[in-house]
Amino acid sequence: MAICEHLSKAGDPSPRTPEGCEECLATGGRWVHLRRCLDCGHIGCCDSSPGKHASSHFRMVGHPVMQSFEPGEDWRWCFTDNTMG
């Protein structure tokens, strides 16, 4: 199985808000798990979180690949191709 083009070209930007979800921190929200955009470093919360800010970031700006920002996890997800890498 070939890796999708987005996953193969994903970067490794520094997290913009390493202390937590960017939007939740701004609004006092809470999160379950965190995801880092591999295009711009945006930190957003997962879809199990009330805000679902990681997938919202993809829909708003179109950055296709995010990576788990949880300790001990390094999996990545491409929203465009619905595939894990």
Side-chain angles (χ1 to χ4, degrees):
M1 179 181 205
I3 191 167
C4 83
E5 179 181 354
H6 304 105
L7 286 167
S8 66
K9 293 183 177 179
D12 188 22
S14 297
R16 294 191 329 205
T17 55
E19 63 277 12
C21 173
E22 190 170 326
E23 290 84 0
C24 289
L25 288 168
T27 63
R30 62 177 186 82
W31 58 85
V32 178
H33 297 286
L34 298 172
R35 311 294 184 232
R36 175 177 59 123
C37 173
L38 294 184
D39 207 353
C40 70
H42 172 269
I43 301 296
C45 54
C46 70
D47 282 357
S48 295
S49 302
K52 302 178 183 181
H53 292 118
S55 58
S56 175
H57 177 74
F58 163 68
R59 287 190 303 278
M60 290 180 68
V61 300
H63 296 162
V65 181
M66 63 91 190
Q67 181 176 38
S68 175
F69 196 62
E70 294 298 312
E73 295 182 359
D74 64 354
W75 57 266
R76 300 174 303 154
W77 177 257
C78 177
F79 285 107
T80 300
D81 296 322
N82 291 315
T83 192
M84 189 172 275

